[in-house]
Amino acid sequence: MSSSLRFDRGHTDDLMAFLMSAPSPYHAVASAAARLEKAGFRQVEETAAWDGTSGGKYVLRGGAIVAWYVPEGAGAHTPFRIVGAHTDSPNLRVKPLPDTGAYGWRQVAVEVYGGTLLNTWLDRDLGLAGRISLNDGTHRLVDIDRPLLRVPQLAVHLDRSANPDGLKLDRQKHMQPIWGLGDVEEGDLIRFVAGEAGVDAEDITGWDLMTHPVEAPSYLGRDRELVAGPRMDNLLSVHAATAALAAVAGQPDSEIPYIPVLAAFDHEENGSQSDTGADGPLLGTVLERSVFARGGTYEDRARAFAGTVCLSSDTGHAIHPNYAERHDPTHHPVVNGGPILKVNVNMRYATDGSGRAVFAAACEKAGVPWQTFVSNNAMPCGTTIGPITAARHGIQTVDIGVAILSMHSARELCGADDPHLLATALASFLAG
């Protein structure tokens, strides 16, 4: 493998910038859209009539984005090549009545979102980000990217059992962050957010706000061969897929036999059941409307879907040197070893032998190494959007990703080579 493929510092630097630009799913899709706009894509509204013109287009809905490129001369029955990912990450999210506190401490009432590693959010400087809804029906993005909140851990002197017996956290009592001193005042937090956003508090009718660590991503290790940062699960895949789609859209149309698609969904971490989740109709609706806008019939739609393949890209587990017994004894994915193919015969992952061949061919064409992940038989296997996508839309789906450590931590760890290797493999797949 060439050294240029082995470690593209520019791509990894750009990933870290993307992570910082995306403290919430709403910011993630806005950042992805801005990158696609630079590549010539244009936004289409779901409420508008669509035309069948060629070129790059995208739809935004909440924390989800679906983008696609129609090459000149594509038929109504041309199959799609899809990369699926998700924009959300486990964190602490602000409740509808956020103002709380006790004993002279002002706190923010939060709810735990997703399968968060709670201890990683303790004693960490947190910002606040998300979106606010205004009374005119519009939304405004908010990013307070400075130390604002903190979930303080109980001193070991007051919990002597914490080290020998393990830390035990109550999700309701122990995870409410502090953000100041004084009496609790109703409406205080939203007034503060309104000031930061430059709007009147009276104009805010709703909010989707969440905490995020303010520490920037960084290279790590003797040779800087690792990257530590927040929300790699799964913004690493969103970033790679965005870069891959933009790269393919820059090729001559005659060299693109499929319609390449990016589908980045929200709410994967809590089951994908929402209008912006993979279990909703968003992807299918966009694909169908693309077929019909190009003059296609239901028969064309059926032919296009029958020839479509989706790579569901989500992070997976690298072999952990301190817990090797938790992994399958014959499958040991390593960081900087290239993307992983996820397999589970009980269909917690959607990969089968046919899908394996598609993924292997894309990696071989790109000169990218790849690995295989399966769970230890004695451990429950996780899942992601792959099986949902396959079952809901009837399209062949393959689960892949990048091997990382500390998944669902406030700060995760990956190899510095792997993001570029994934993006290269995804571009090869999308290009056919």
Side-chain angles (χ1 to χ4, degrees):
M1 181 170 35
S2 69
S3 59
S4 62
L5 254 186
R6 187 62 185 160
F7 187 6
D8 185 331
R9 176 63 61 86
H11 180 92
T12 308
D13 288 345
D14 192 61
L15 167 63
M16 292 194 284
F18 182 77
L19 294 174
M20 287 298 290
S21 74
S24 78
Y26 314 107
H27 290 83
V29 299
S31 185
R35 291 160 185 262
L36 292 173
E37 289 273 357
K38 290 182 179 179
F41 285 68
R42 61 181 177 87
Q43 184 177 1
V44 294
E45 299 292 340
E46 291 188 84
T47 55
W50 292 5
D51 58 47
T53 56
S54 59
K57 306 172 186 180
Y58 67 90
V59 164
L60 293 180
R61 183 192 291 183
I65 180 172
V66 179
W68 65 103
Y69 182 82
V70 180
E72 190 73 38
H77 60 274
T78 299
F80 301 92
R81 281 285 177 101
I82 305 167
V83 176
H86 68 88
T87 61
D88 59 319
S89 301
N91 55 20
L92 307 175
R93 303 203 171 187
V94 177
K95 288 184 175 180
L97 300 176
D99 301 295
T100 187
Y103 305 105
W105 295 99
R106 289 192 298 173
Q107 295 175 275
V108 176
V110 297
E111 186 173 1
V112 177
Y113 177 84
T116 311
L117 277 172
L118 295 178
N119 63 295
T120 67
W121 290 83
L122 302 177
D123 297 334
R124 190 179 293 273
D125 295 339
L126 304 175
L128 196 65
R131 68 176 182 179
I132 52 178
S133 302
L134 306 179
N135 55 17
D136 63 359
T138 63
H139 302 287
R140 184 77 60 86
L141 295 183
V142 178
D143 182 9
I144 305 171
D145 191 32
R146 65 178 187 271
L148 178 68
L149 305 133
R150 184 181 177 93
V151 183
Q153 188 170 188
L154 184 65
V156 69
H157 312 78
L158 304 178
D159 185 8
R160 298 288 183 179
S161 65
N163 284 329
D165 299 334
L167 183 65
K168 296 178 176 61
L169 294 171
D170 184 294
R171 295 160 69 92
Q172 177 62 40
K173 293 194 299 182
H174 300 152
M175 298 306 297
Q176 309 307 311
I178 60 173
W179 75 302
L181 300 172
D183 296 331
V184 177
E185 298 181 25
E186 184 177 354
D188 197 20
L189 180 70
I190 299 307
R191 284 192 293 271
F192 170 77
V193 170
E196 293 289 315
V199 302
D200 293 331
E202 294 75 17
D203 292 337
I204 299 178
T205 56
W207 52 87
D208 301 281
L209 299 171
M210 59 204 71
T211 60
H212 67 276
V214 298
E215 183 182 2
S218 62
Y219 290 103
L220 183 145
R222 185 193 66 179
D223 299 319
R224 293 162 56 88
E225 70 268 48
L226 302 170
V227 174
R231 300 178 295 280
M232 291 185 184
D233 179 14
N234 185 34
L235 294 186
L236 189 158
S237 294
V238 175
H239 174 263
T242 302
L245 179 60
V248 172
Q251 297 179 6
D253 283 5
S254 60
E255 299 178 7
I256 307 175
Y258 302 99
I259 296 175
V261 180
L262 159 66
F265 302 101
D266 201 353
H267 302 128
E268 187 272 348
E269 298 293 357
N270 61 10
S272 296
Q273 291 185 322
S274 70
D275 69 320
T276 53
D279 203 19
L282 179 60
L283 175 60
T285 299
V286 169
L287 299 183
E288 288 179 346
R289 289 186 69 177
S290 175
V291 170
F292 298 151
R294 284 176 281 122
T297 63
Y298 185 82
E299 180 70 11
D300 292 314
R301 179 263 188 213
R303 292 175 65 190
F305 276 45
T308 292
V309 184
C310 173
L311 291 189
S312 163
S313 182
D314 200 353
T315 54
H317 303 294
I319 181 72
H320 196 303
N322 298 338
Y323 300 92
E325 74 280 0
R326 302 296 182 97
H327 299 265
D328 183 84
T330 58
H331 294 76
H332 292 163
V334 296
V335 299
N336 288 335
I340 57 174
L341 180 74
K342 300 179 180 180
V343 179
N344 179 264
V345 296
N346 295 301
M347 300 312 293
R348 299 288 287 172
Y349 301 127
T351 306
D352 61 12
S354 176
R356 180 185 189 277
V358 172
F359 176 65
C363 290
E364 181 178 357
K365 177 184 174 184
V368 170
W370 59 279
Q371 313 172 78
T372 304
F373 171 84
V374 296
S375 288
N376 186 308
N377 287 342
M379 303 288 294
C381 180
T383 190
T384 182
I385 65 170
I388 294 171
T389 303
R392 180 167 187 86
H393 305 295
I395 58 179
Q396 183 181 24
T397 304
V398 189
D399 276 300
I400 67 162
V402 162
I404 70 170
L405 292 181
S406 306
M407 187 183 295
H408 287 196
S409 170
R411 194 168 176 86
E412 297 163 322
L413 185 72
C414 78
D417 298 3
D418 283 328
H420 180 234
L421 293 174
L422 174 65
T424 304
L426 294 181
S428 175
F429 164 75
L430 289 176

